[in-house]
Amino acid sequence: MADDNERSFSAPRGTNDLLPPESWRWQATTRRAMDSFALAGYAPVETPLFEHTEVFERGVGEGSEVVGKQMYTFEDRGGRSLTLRPEGTAPVVRALLEHGLDRGPLPVKLAYASAMFRQERPQKGRFRQFFQVGIEAIGSDGPIVDAEVIEVGWRFLRDAGVEPRLLLNSIGHLDGSCRLGYLDRLRKWLEENAETLDEEDRDRFATNPLRTFDSKEPATVETMRSAPVITEHVCDSCRKHFEAVRASLDDVSVPYDIDPTLVRGLDYYTRTAFEYVADGLGAQNAVGGGGRYDGLSESLGGPPLPGIGFALGLDRILLARPASEGDDAPVQAFVVALGAEAARAAFRIVTDLRSIGIGADMDHSGRGMKGQMKGADRSGARYAVIIGDDELSAGEATIRDMTSGEQRPVPFAEIARSVGR
Ligand code: HAM
């Protein structure tokens, strides 16, 4: 037997092995997400795990923390610079442009459930490989699309048992009369108030003044309370767009809080920005976030193609929500077989049950009754189907309800009816 030293490999820091029973919950939640996105017309998409590094440098922006500090970038044997995707939006827009999906009806509506990679400092709810479920609606700048996207994420989180709080903001578009004008103003204000900012934040605001709102340093947080906020400085057309988004959210009774300091960490965002936050997650309380990215297509060399979407952190959803029905292993019946003949009968029974869509498993250990019942228990099955010598000769099995402990004999031919859902 290998001693501990010989099998002491561990997964890389910040990654998780998804093992049962947790992996059942993970799978059920992913499915539920994709089903609920499909209900709103979002078709599944899967892009490669890695992209040319430029897709993220140009798409997400070199000024963002994600691109500047967190990417897993490597050179392949052909000398190409590739990057494990840190997020899904730039790859989805890249794929859409590459395959000309924008030449069909717009908006193109796509959904994904994929692993993402960021070299962040691991902590509760923050990993280096994590999973996102998300949607993107690309090709329309109408405010009702914003409301639709936001509602789809909100409803899924509610259905999944997370009670999210929705934070909403408008960060304007990249134009001198809108965000750029505001950024100049904010930069000036930060210069005037630099003395009261934390030292680290003083060096940073020249490149991206908005990021100062994200600082966790107490001195900066205090100062930023009186900083000019973008919501009050966006142009007329952005303001009208934001009003219309809010009106549509009101129409479908999605509650939200306006958070004028919500700026989001990726550089492609324009106009509507939002986040879903949940209690009980500690510092990493954002279960998801998203917004408009009306300039992303052009950053990637495409035509003007406005878009909006979100991504939800699956790892955080599972941390935030209680276990619920439908998460469990789908095995309904576990056959306990005592003896070689009984095992052959058991195999025929589980095969019959599976062929009509009833989840079934059987013992393969050859242990005694007690050991096999433990297996039945561990499988999560609702019923144990017990076959011993007596049962075999009578052509019957004993069916035990694992919850109530009740047992009754059932002829082989009627097992399916007795253990069916
Ligand atoms: P994001 O805010 O960077 O946005 O990530 C979305 C969500 O992914 C976060 O709210 C969080 O729940 C989860 N997440 C992010 N980083 C980690 C991590 N290191 N460990 C665990 N969970 C994490 C985006 O990625 C955008 N692509 C969303 C989007 C789609 N915007 C428009 N369309």
Side-chain angles (χ1 to χ4, degrees):
M1 257 216 37
D3 67 27
D4 278 355
N5 283 337
E6 284 170 39
R7 38 150 134 193
S8 62
F9 286 112
S10 52
R13 193 163 131 76
T15 67
N16 293 303
D17 294 311
L18 271 162
L19 306 171
E22 191 58 16
S23 52
W24 289 115
R25 292 185 71 201
W26 178 80
Q27 190 185 47
T29 310
T30 309
R31 259 194 213 141
R32 233 190 256 186
M34 292 302 276
D35 286 350
S36 110
F37 303 160
L39 273 182
Y42 290 81
V45 64
E46 184 62 58
T47 61
L49 268 168
F50 52 86
E51 294 277 345
H52 292 291
T53 302
E54 274 184 301
V55 169
F56 302 112
E57 284 173 350
R58 290 216 245 145
V60 180
E62 290 181 271
S64 66
E65 292 258 303
V66 169
V67 172
K69 295 190 183 154
Q70 300 172 349
M71 294 205 301
Y72 282 99
T73 297
F74 60 97
E75 211 170 80
D76 73 0
R77 285 165 198 270
R80 286 164 287 257
S81 178
L82 300 172
T83 294
L84 299 185
R85 65 178 165 216
E87 63 99 48
T89 311
V92 164
V93 173
R94 193 269 309 142
L96 173 143
L97 294 173
E98 182 174 340
H99 300 285
L101 302 189
D102 55 315
R103 291 196 287 269
L106 297 175
V108 178
K109 306 214 293 190
L110 299 168
Y112 50 88
S114 314
M116 306 290 161
F117 306 86
R118 296 183 192 176
Q119 191 162 358
E120 297 196 73
R121 199 168 48 75
Q123 64 180 83
K124 182 180 173 191
R126 189 162 73 189
F127 309 107
R128 292 181 170 172
Q129 174 175 329
F130 58 98
F131 289 88
Q132 286 185 343
V133 291
I135 65 173
E136 312 290 349
I138 302 161
S140 164
D141 63 2
I144 294 180
V145 180
D146 302 36
E148 171 183 296
V149 165
I150 294 170
E151 194 276 339
V152 166
W154 182 79
R155 181 159 35 87
F156 161 67
L157 286 170
R158 297 263 329 245
D159 290 350
V162 178
E163 288 297 325
R165 198 157 74 88
L166 170 61
L167 306 178
L168 193 62
N169 196 16
S170 172
I171 57 171
H173 65 89
L174 282 172
D175 186 318
S177 65
C178 194
R179 176 145 23 129
L180 292 182
Y182 165 75
L183 289 182
D184 276 347
R185 203 189 161 108
L186 177 63
R187 215 175 268 119
K188 274 201 199 93
W189 188 89
L190 287 166
E191 275 162 19
E192 284 160 21
N193 292 275
E195 288 297 296
T196 59
L197 295 175
D198 184 85
E199 220 173 303
E200 270 196 28
D201 293 315
R202 273 179 230 166
D203 307 332
R204 282 203 218 132
F205 70 73
T207 34
N208 193 342
L210 277 184
R211 204 57 41 76
T212 323
F213 282 110
D214 283 339
S215 172
K216 302 274 182 285
E217 302 300 333
T220 306
V221 173
E222 186 53 38
T223 302
M224 295 312 283
R225 280 192 223 282
S226 39
V229 290
I230 192 158
T231 333
E232 285 160 19
H233 293 88
V234 297
C235 68
D236 256 8
S237 110
C238 285
R239 192 175 44 74
K240 286 203 181 97
H241 181 92
F242 195 42
E243 278 167 12
V245 174
R246 284 155 51 186
S248 280
L249 288 174
D250 294 340
D251 285 346
V252 292
S253 307
V254 174
Y256 53 83
D257 291 327
I258 303 292
D259 180 354
T261 67
L262 177 74
V263 291
R264 307 272 305 135
L266 312 172
D267 287 354
Y268 51 57
Y269 288 115
T270 52
R271 294 194 154 179
T272 313
F274 58 97
E275 242 163 47
Y276 306 99
V277 297
D279 291 335
L281 286 173
Q284 305 306 315
N285 67 347
V287 279
R292 272 208 163 270
Y293 43 84
D294 292 346
L296 176 54
S297 166
E298 286 156 280
S299 311
L300 294 175
L305 207 55
I308 180 165
F310 65 71
L312 312 175
L314 199 55
D315 310 79
R316 292 188 193 172
I317 293 173
L318 291 180
L319 282 171
R321 82 180 184 83
S324 68
E325 281 226 1
D327 290 345
D328 297 337
V331 169
Q332 178 80 350
F334 188 97
V335 185
V336 167
L338 303 165
E341 272 310 300
R344 286 187 62 187
F347 181 56
R348 287 195 300 272
I349 291 168
V350 292
T351 305
D352 282 350
L353 291 176
R354 291 167 187 167
S355 71
I356 55 168
I358 297 174
D361 202 356
M362 65 179 279
D363 178 81
H364 290 293
S365 73
R367 286 177 295 186
M369 177 78 169
K370 215 169 145 196
Q372 291 197 33
M373 285 306 288
K374 261 195 197 151
D377 207 32
R378 200 164 308 138
S379 75
R382 173 131 188 247
Y383 299 100
V385 178
I386 303 160
I387 308 172
D389 287 343
D390 292 351
E391 282 90 351
L392 257 189
S393 49
E396 294 184 339
T398 299
I399 294 190
R400 179 183 172 90
D401 183 319
M402 296 298 281
T403 326
S404 68
E406 266 169 47
Q407 300 200 155
R408 63 199 171 93
V410 171
F412 282 171
E414 283 171 31
I415 291 177
R417 196 150 13 107
S418 303
V419 303
R421 277 167 208 273

